[in-house]
Amino acid sequence: MYASSSERAFQVAAGRERGAGVDAGKTHHHCVAIDESGRRLLSRRVADDEPELLELLASVMALSDEVTWGIDLADGGAALAIAILLNHNQAVHYISGRAIHRAAESYRGEGKTDAKDAAVIADQVRIRRDLHPLHAGDETVIDLKILTGRRMDLVAGRTRTVNRLRAQLTGIFPGLERALDLTNTGPLTLLTGYQTPAAIRRIGVKRLATWLRNRKVRSADQLAETALQAADRQHTSLPGEKLTAQMVHRLADEVMALNQQVAELDKRIEARFRDHHTFDVITSMPGLGVILGAEFLAATGGDMTVFGTPDRLAGFGGVAPVPRDSGKISGNLRHPQRYNRRLQRVFYTSALFSIRHCEESRRFYDRKRAEGKRHTQAVLALARRRVNVLWALLRDGRCYALAPPTTLAA
């Protein structure tokens, strides 16, 4: 029998409705369903396979027509389970593993099992009203999440490879390592051919410059002169030089290959980002280019109504301080501990870029510095202010302009 809308509203307001918690895993999930009093109605371990998940859904729905689901993963291994629930018009909420761990401390027993975690999730989703609801994602945003995630992996791999390259080159030719910027293509191209002081002295500056120009290196003469100056200052051959030179060659090739992969991925990200209706609005914001704008969509899902207010968005992005008051102590603010690191990086980095290219941002930053704020504090304050601006732009569907639009009198 279906509950009337008034009965349902009363149950929700009173925090008395049936809940089902899913402790998600890579190969198996554990589901616990409870009634209004918290009594277990079902406890079952199921494989991450569509037939078993559909059977679980049918079993839970047979217990009650109104069930609120909770799950501790929002993607990855829980993607199939979430998709099945959403396709069957089920209300699904996400609760983080950290929140589950803390909540579990208030329940009886010290043991930890998948069944207990699923029961905690079910009980929490039954009584709480502040959990994040999950919705079917926009295809463009999902694609951007995949592409930007892959880009982050490539950039992290490139950074590790560059660090290894620097360490190897320092072991045989420290002067050249200091003189070259190994994030640029020219120095990397140089290291694919010449890695030791003796080899650079043998070829000479003119032939080295010609060799670099043939490989379309910019400022080939200057780079060749820099390399030869470093070689002239070292005439000692270090142990393991021959093998290390081979390693330097291979690492330089790897960095160049990673640079090419990142460049190709950036083109795909831009092409996909342009398909989203907020592309012009987001990229009009100073400091938010194509890559950071795409990462903003990937981190937030693109739906600002989920957050409700710019304050909640700022809190989710870690750029809003949180109070830490107790007793007579008030006005004590501290840096938040629970926030989306990826979104904070977008807000912080875009604020840094805006200081360089936007006079309004520069004036705001200088004012905060004059008030005694440290550099990081001033940038975070700017980032927090920019969240309000970005929120208003997305809400109104208009691009950024220094002067706000004027409203014509009727």
Side-chain angles (χ1 to χ4, degrees), residues 373-393:
K373 303 289 186 182
R374 297 191 302 271
H375 168 73
T376 303
Q377 292 175 321
V379 175
L380 285 173
L382 174 60
R384 175 64 186 89
R385 178 64 61 88
R386 284 166 50 85
V387 170
N388 289 346
V389 177
L390 182 58
W391 178 276
L393 296 179

Side-chain angles (χ1 to χ4, degrees), residues 153-165 251 255:
D153 291 341
L154 289 176
V155 171
R158 180 177 62 184
T159 301
R160 288 192 295 269
T161 307
V162 169
N163 290 337
R164 287 196 295 268
L165 174 59
L251 288 171
V255 176

Side-chain angles (χ1 to χ4, degrees), residues 73-128:
L73 288 177
D75 51 19
L80 178 59
I82 293 172
I84 290 174
L85 292 174
L86 293 178
N87 290 342
H88 287 79
N89 300 318
Q90 298 296 298
V92 186
H93 294 78
Y94 167 71
I95 178 170
S96 68
R98 182 176 183 178
I100 298 168
H101 176 71
R102 290 188 172 182
E105 295 177 353
S106 62
Y107 291 83
R108 255 184 334 200
E110 297 182 6
K112 182 190 180 306
T113 63
D114 292 343
K116 180 180 179 180
D117 289 344
V120 171
I121 295 172
D123 197 41
Q124 289 293 300
V125 80
R126 180 180 65 90
I127 62 178
R128 290 181 59 176

Side-chain angles (χ1 to χ4, degrees), residues 191-237:
L191 293 178
T192 61
Y194 303 93
Q195 305 86 25
T196 64
I200 292 177
R201 285 195 300 269
R202 279 195 303 269
I203 190 173
V205 65
K206 291 185 178 180
R207 286 195 297 164
L208 180 57
T210 301
W211 185 87
L212 292 171
R213 278 194 297 270
N214 291 338
R215 285 154 181 79
K216 300 180 181 180
V217 173
R218 295 180 180 179
S219 303
D221 294 331
Q222 181 180 354
L223 179 58
E225 183 65 30
T226 299
L228 193 64
Q229 289 176 2
D232 287 339
R233 289 194 295 269
Q234 179 177 333
H235 292 267
T236 302
S237 178

